[in-house]
Amino acid sequence: MRINVLLTWATLAGVVVAGAGCRMVDPERPTPQPDTTVYGNLLQVSPGPEGTESVVVRLRVAPPRLLVRDRAEHGKPTPSVEGGLTAEVTAGPDTVVVLDGDRALEDVPAGTEMVALPVEGTTRMVGSTKILMEARYLMDFETFRRWKLPLLAGREAAGEESDPARINSPGIEHAPVPLQGGRVLYFTARPRRPWKAGTGWIGAPRPGLPFPGEDGSAVERVYRTELGEGGWSAPSPVVFGGLGEADSVELSWMDPGETRCLLTVRSPGGEPWVGVAFRKNTRAAWSDVERLEVLGDGDAWDAVYLAGSSTMLAFVSTRTGTGSSDILLLNPKAGNQPTPLDPRINTPGAEWSPRVGPANELLFCRNDRQLLFVGGVARAARLPGRFRTVLTEANPTRDGEWVFFCRPRYTPGELDQDIWVARWSVDGSFADPVPVDDWRP
């Protein structure tokens, strides 16, 4: 990890040298440069161009003090940049801003060490003293260090509570399936992989959830919890027949009576497939998982029935040959073969996690972005705020009042995924979110 930071810093020093040569042509004309992470001390936050919702963050470019000290302690020099280099970083509605303590950008004190990760193709140089770029991520250095550089200067990540009676933990909780207006919740969980050699897997010690050894692979299990007057019940494992101990299982759809469900099964060395399980009533055991052969050949996962239908299925597969995952629809009335959804939904990016609202609004993810397709238009589903908050796997209650979704915490090694809840408006917007453990409708 330290090598990566040093290489980035050396690349930035090279950008300055290249920019110096540009003065022979026009010193004020921005010249494209290789994209590189920018480290610096905060000088000023100013409004962006008139008519935009952007801000411009001005940094004095400099290596992080912790990195310099760490290099010195190991007898190694740190590449430096001379000449008062500054960076003007534009942060707009599509920028992910993550600051320690959930501070507002305007509340960050001058001098704070910051890190900007660029939008691809936006880094430019003005003369040899100014970098211009648009930010994909903007963080204070301490937050960035905890995420990407936990070993820097030997400082370890702090320990975290792992309470199996709660829904969210330091492990991975995702794929929420709410029922009864959100008062019953199914979710899928697994431990988070170790962030350094010699440490164990991270997460709550839930019943039925094995923790692998350091060189093993984690498996996923499904849990159910119910909201009562005293809060959520301790999540209990949902056991399905016909599966091996090494199989991972993820729930994607459940009928209102909790007697029929769709699951994704991943077996070691095999491709994922969609299965269905049944039971007579909520006191009965679940049946063996049966593979849904109607989905045809090829991998398949994340299947859901459309609202009001027991035969039309949306699911995810890579069988379309685009090089990434797409969303397919099986409509038995239109034929026996699943067909990809139209190009407004499926793109060269990876589409996944289809879910439907009460009027068959389609919520789905494209890479790390949550989208909503309604009225023939795909648009971003956003949380309140000036900047973008990463959220995925949004799944509304059947009455459309609430939406459950995943949000990451920027933890080392692997992002910790937690489940959150927000009110869902008729225009598709989300209200202020709360962690699911704290939610009380």
Side-chain angles (χ1 to χ4, degrees):
M1 292 182 181
R2 297 172 187 167
I3 294 176
N4 290 342
V5 173
L6 183 58
L7 289 176
T8 298
W9 190 250
T11 301
L12 182 57
V15 168
V16 177
V17 173
C22 297
R23 289 180 292 178
M24 299 174 61
V25 181
D26 182 353
E28 298 304 317
R29 185 179 69 184
T31 304
Q33 299 291 335
D35 292 315
T36 184
T37 301
V38 171
Y39 301 86
N41 299 96
L42 178 65
L43 296 175
Q44 187 179 29
V45 178
S46 306
E50 187 175 353
T52 72
E53 299 180 17
S54 301
V55 297
V56 176
V57 179
R58 190 163 173 259
L59 305 176
R60 179 178 63 81
V61 177
R65 291 185 295 272
L66 188 60
L67 173 62
V68 174
R69 185 164 65 248
D70 182 79
R71 299 283 299 175
E73 289 174 356
H74 290 83
K76 299 177 181 179
T78 302
S80 61
V81 175
E82 303 295 339
L85 181 64
T86 62
E88 290 187 1
V89 179
T90 300
D94 208 36
T95 303
V96 179
V97 177
V98 185
L99 301 171
D100 194 30
D102 293 327
R103 293 174 292 178
L105 190 55
E106 289 79 3
D107 294 335
V108 178
T112 299
E113 292 182 321
M114 303 286 290
V115 183
L117 284 65
V119 174
E120 184 177 355
T122 65
T123 304
R124 294 162 292 155
M125 197 81 190
V126 178
S128 61
T129 60
K130 183 188 296 184
I131 299 172
L132 304 177
M133 63 178 290
E134 296 176 18
R136 179 169 54 94
Y137 277 83
L138 182 64
M139 297 180 167
D140 59 86
F141 178 71
E142 182 59 21
T143 298
F144 179 82
R145 186 201 65 79
R146 287 197 303 266
W147 178 25
K148 292 292 188 180
L149 306 169
L151 294 177
L152 187 60
R155 295 170 62 181
E156 298 186 1
E160 299 178 271
E161 296 295 329
S162 297
D163 185 356
R166 293 175 62 84
I167 299 170
N168 289 331
S169 82
I172 308 295
E173 288 81 32
H174 73 116
V177 179
L179 299 173
Q180 298 183 26
R183 292 182 175 275
V184 170
L185 178 66
Y186 287 83
F187 66 95
T188 300
R190 68 169 174 84
R192 181 160 53 91
R193 66 175 59 96
W195 64 274
K196 72 171 185 177
T199 61
W201 290 74
I202 304 166
R206 303 187 188 280
L209 184 64
F211 272 53
E214 185 174 343
D215 298 327
S217 298
V219 298
E220 295 194 309
R221 295 289 183 262
V222 177
Y223 290 84
R224 181 189 185 276
T225 181
E226 187 168 351
L227 184 61
E229 293 183 2
W232 292 98
S233 62
S236 58
V238 183
V239 180
F240 302 98
L243 302 175
E245 291 184 2
D247 291 332
S248 279
V249 58
E250 176 184 329
L251 185 75
S252 54
W253 180 90
M254 176 75 70
D255 76 321
E258 301 182 62
T259 59
R260 185 187 186 202
C261 65
L262 296 177
L263 305 149
T264 298
V265 179
R266 292 179 172 87
S267 302
E271 62 185 17
W273 52 275
V274 172
V276 60
F278 304 89
R279 61 179 176 176
K280 294 181 179 180
N281 54 59
T282 56
R283 295 184 298 275
W286 286 97
S287 68
D288 288 354
V289 180
E290 302 173 10
R291 184 165 184 158
L292 277 182
E293 303 292 349
V294 294
L295 298 186
D297 297 330
D299 58 4
W301 69 95
D302 248 356
V304 293
Y305 285 106
L306 270 60
S309 176
S310 60
T311 58
M312 295 178 64
L313 277 165
F315 67 99
V316 181
S317 178
T318 62
R319 69 183 68 174
T320 57
T322 61
S324 62
S325 59
D326 291 314
I327 301 174
L328 283 69
L329 177 68
L330 173 67
N331 182 2
K333 294 181 180 179
N336 296 324
Q337 292 299 319
T339 57
L341 298 182
D342 70 45
R344 291 171 293 181
I345 297 171
N346 288 326
T347 69
E351 283 77 30
W352 57 287
S353 190
R355 300 293 187 264
V356 295
N360 274 324
E361 307 95 332
L362 176 65
L363 295 101
F364 69 99
C365 298
R366 180 179 296 144
N367 299 325
D368 71 342
R369 298 170 186 267
Q370 181 66 56
L371 301 177
L372 170 68
F373 185 78
V374 63
V377 177
R379 64 177 184 268
R382 295 179 63 97
L383 291 171
R386 177 188 297 178
F387 306 108
R388 180 169 81 96
T389 299
V390 176
L391 65 114
T392 57
E393 299 185 274
N395 196 1
T397 54
R398 279 183 165 83
D399 58 11
E401 291 291 322
W402 301 91
V403 61
F404 289 64
F405 53 92
C406 262
R407 283 184 62 180
R409 294 177 61 242
Y410 293 89
T411 47
E414 182 180 19
L415 296 179
D416 172 8
Q417 298 287 348
D418 290 329
I419 298 172
W420 289 60
V421 190
R423 191 171 287 279
W424 196 38
S425 301
V426 291
D427 63 358
S429 63
F430 294 6
D432 290 328
V434 296
V436 66
D437 287 288
D438 300 332
W439 178 67
R440 302 293 183 268

